[in-house]
Amino acid sequence: MTTSKRFLWVLACVFMFSCNHLSEVQFQAEEGEELSAGQGTIFDTSENAFSLQIPTLSNEEGLLFFVGNSLFNQNWVTAPASTTARDGLGPLFNARSCSGCHFKDGRGRAPEFHGELNAGHLIRLSIPDPFNPSRTLPDPHYGGQLQDQAINGFGVPVEGGYEVDYLMMEGKFADGSSYELRKPMISFVNLKYGPMDAKVMTSPRVAPQMVGLGFLEAIPEADLLALADPEDRDNDGISGRPNYILQQDGQKAIGRFGWKANQQDLEHQVAGAFLGDMGITSDLKPSQNWPFGIDTENIPNGGEPEIDADDLQKVVLYSATLAVPARRNWQDPEVLKGKQIFMDAGCAGCHIPKFKTGTHPTIDGLSHQVIRPFTDLLLHDMGEGLADGRPDHEANGQEWRTPPLWGIGLFAAVNDHTFYLHDGRARNLSEAILWHGGEAEESKNQFVAMSSDDRQSLLQFLNSL
């Protein structure tokens, strides 16, 4: 072997060793990575994977979880009824129970045909406030949410219905393979209370999965604010900011729940859903959203309020303590490669992998846990493609809260579909990524430029969450 060949052989060995070493470093699993919610993790991949309580509940909390489960899953009925704890439905509503939208504590979807009800999908409504450009008001005839069902026998017409059609859009990856996206087109039908306001803004929403909500509530506010960079001072192209909710005492609270982070805690989230989705009043939401023109004198109610404070708290506890399924295949080399791609493409700039919860005010099992929700709970500009043009508190019409990713690989097992994003337009995870724009435009572009193998590795990682 000549001197020059010997040199090249040594150089090749060094290069090969370096590549193998790099792969081992990059694609290693983190200790405990499979535990999505610390001691609040459960190991179940069945259709009931989203419906189990965290293992650390006390006996007393377990009993409250059981009752909350009943109030969440059983239908509410028209008042008056012998079932006094669950009467007061409507008179206008979108679902007869919480599980009507969150079937098996999972995720809703858009209607699959015109006239389909109870799919876990609704339309939010608002108009600009003429006296305050930074605020919105409910539609004067239909309120803040179109309710497409009504109780029978009291002369209350359904507000109306809506239909979802799709504009199909074609595109290509850099390797030449094609894809197709569908953009939802909403049209209202059979409106019974007159036309909507000419300036009405609409926003379709699907019901998200319920797992891990109490852990999100227990993330210290300081940790979320430390991630905010509204002026993008670090020039990474990501400028997340919190939504703030003005409370009755005049103080502002950081929003954590809802597609635009428009609820500050689970108690308000649950009370808002009871009223908006089922027409059930509570101490927090004591007034019905009566459409203009309804004679309210002869319409019975289920009490004032219709769900008492104790029962509301049982549903709040139930919602807070649904456990998070463990990761699957987290040590698989392809999944680990996909995780590295996820990091390299900048996805983790908004989908923050890991937090440690602080002290939860009422439930010890939610406190001081290392969790892996893959969210920062902040608002991000997601571009015109996903914009609804509808402000929500301090969120503008292009901003959405980073949704947590834990559990997204189990939607098919729990809910028998794989529809993603706030309105369910994406039919799979690839389409969900391709809809990213705004602050996530660069990450989306990297996905488009990837080889087919790299895209599959990334999707395998996401399906392991």
Side-chain angles (χ1 to χ4, degrees):
M1 183 179 290
T2 64
T3 302
S4 59
K5 286 184 177 178
R6 185 179 296 114
F7 172 76
L8 290 173
W9 182 83
V10 171
L11 186 63
C13 289
V14 170
F15 178 75
M16 290 172 62
F17 173 79
S18 298
C19 288
N20 289 337
H21 179 66
L22 182 63
S23 298
E24 290 172 4
V25 170
Q26 288 181 323
F27 300 155
Q28 287 183 347
E30 179 187 345
E31 183 178 357
E33 188 174 333
E34 76 277 21
L35 301 177
S36 299
Q39 295 182 10
T41 305
I42 51 94
F43 293 82
D44 191 306
T45 58
S46 74
E47 61 180 1
N48 297 315
F50 291 171
S51 298
L52 305 176
Q53 69 183 50
I54 61 173
T56 51
L57 286 186
S58 67
N59 290 337
E60 181 181 359
E61 290 168 336
L63 179 60
L64 297 175
F65 180 94
F66 178 80
V67 179
N69 184 7
S70 171
L71 293 166
F72 187 93
N73 282 289
Q74 293 188 26
N75 282 351
W76 287 67
V77 299
T78 305
S82 57
T83 311
T84 55
R86 287 187 291 106
D87 69 346
L89 177 70
L92 294 159
F93 59 92
N94 296 99
R96 296 176 183 273
S97 67
C98 305
S99 61
C101 292
H102 304 276
F103 182 62
K104 288 191 171 294
D105 304 291
R107 183 180 177 84
R109 58 167 174 77
E112 293 187 338
F113 55 87
H114 293 172
E116 184 184 21
L117 300 174
N118 302 315
H121 184 273
L122 55 81
I123 308 292
R124 290 281 169 79
L125 309 169
S126 58
I127 62 172
D129 184 338
F131 303 105
N132 186 343
S134 64
R135 291 185 53 195
T136 62
L137 299 172
D139 178 88
H141 286 178
Y142 295 92
Q145 180 172 317
L146 184 75
Q147 293 169 312
D148 54 8
Q149 299 178 65
I151 60 174
N152 295 320
F154 296 94
V156 181
V158 170
E159 286 187 322
Y162 65 94
E163 296 172 347
V164 186
D165 294 295
Y166 293 97
L167 174 66
M168 307 308 292
M169 305 159 57
E170 295 182 348
K172 284 185 180 294
F173 292 103
D175 63 8
S177 56
S178 60
Y179 61 80
E180 189 177 56
L181 302 178
R182 57 176 199 168
K183 181 178 181 179
M185 315 292 286
I186 306 294
S187 55
F188 295 102
V189 297
N190 301 320
L191 296 178
K192 299 298 186 185
Y193 297 88
M196 289 187 182
D197 189 278
K199 296 182 179 179
V200 69
M201 298 175 285
T202 64
S203 184
R205 310 279 177 90
V206 297
Q209 69 273 24
M210 296 288 295
V211 297
L213 299 182
F215 293 104
L216 299 181
E217 193 170 41
I219 297 174
E221 182 173 312
D223 291 356
L224 300 178
L225 295 178
L227 298 168
D229 184 17
E231 305 300 327
D232 193 19
R233 295 185 185 279
D234 61 5
N235 295 313
D236 66 350
I238 298 173
S239 52
R241 67 191 183 103
N243 201 355
Y244 281 105
I245 316 304
L246 183 63
Q247 303 180 106
Q248 288 187 337
D249 62 4
Q251 302 296 309
K252 287 187 173 181
I254 186 171
R256 294 173 184 255
F257 300 104
W259 286 104
K260 294 210 175 207
N262 62 359
Q263 298 290 355
Q264 63 269 47
D265 54 39
L266 274 177
E267 184 179 33
H268 284 82
Q269 176 71 20
V270 170
F274 263 111
L275 182 65
D277 301 347
M278 294 190 289
I280 305 293
T281 60
S282 62
D283 286 335
L284 280 179
K285 302 286 183 181
S287 301
Q288 286 282 2
N289 294 318
W290 297 108
F292 180 78
I294 279 191
D295 180 3
T296 61
E297 289 295 323
N298 298 317
I299 299 175
N301 63 48
E304 296 180 355
E306 291 171 319
I307 180 169
D308 65 36
D310 286 344
D311 282 348
L312 182 71
Q313 289 305 317
K314 291 166 188 165
V315 182
V316 171
L317 180 140
Y318 174 79
S319 302
T321 56
L322 286 164
V324 185
R327 292 270 310 278
R328 287 82 54 208
N329 306 317
W330 78 99
Q331 294 175 311
D332 183 295
E334 283 301 312
V335 170
L336 291 171
K337 177 187 171 187
K339 182 176 76 168
Q340 189 64 50
I341 293 172
F342 181 87
M343 300 297 179
D344 292 344
C347 308
C350 302
H351 292 284
I352 303 297
K354 188 166 64 176
F355 287 95
K356 184 173 183 179
T357 62
T359 302
H360 191 277
T362 57
I363 304 169
D364 290 342
L366 301 173
S367 301
H368 312 302
Q369 298 299 308
V370 174
I371 64 172
R372 294 172 171 81
F374 292 87
T375 177
D376 58 7
L377 300 183
L378 299 178
L379 298 172
H380 295 274
D381 183 337
M382 294 301 292
E384 293 183 1
L386 287 176
D388 64 357
R390 179 178 178 273
D392 198 335
H393 295 274
E394 296 188 8
N396 67 37
Q398 287 196 176
E399 290 179 317
W400 298 93
R401 183 199 68 156
T402 307
L405 299 184
W406 50 17
I408 63 170
L410 289 171
F411 288 175
V414 174
N415 293 120
D416 199 27
H417 70 73
T418 56
F419 296 120
Y420 296 91
L421 297 179
H422 65 278
D423 53 10
R425 70 176 68 186
R427 292 166 292 185
N428 51 56
L429 286 168
S430 180
E431 290 185 16
I433 297 170
L434 290 166
W435 273 108
H436 281 53
E439 297 173 38
E441 181 78 21
E442 175 57 27
S443 295
K444 185 270 296 292
N445 290 340
Q446 291 194 42
F447 182 65
V448 171
M450 288 175 193
S451 68
S452 176
D453 286 347
D454 284 352
R455 292 198 304 272
Q456 289 306 312
S457 295
L458 175 59
L459 296 176
Q460 284 194 45
F461 165 68
L462 294 174
N463 275 308
S464 78
L465 299 180

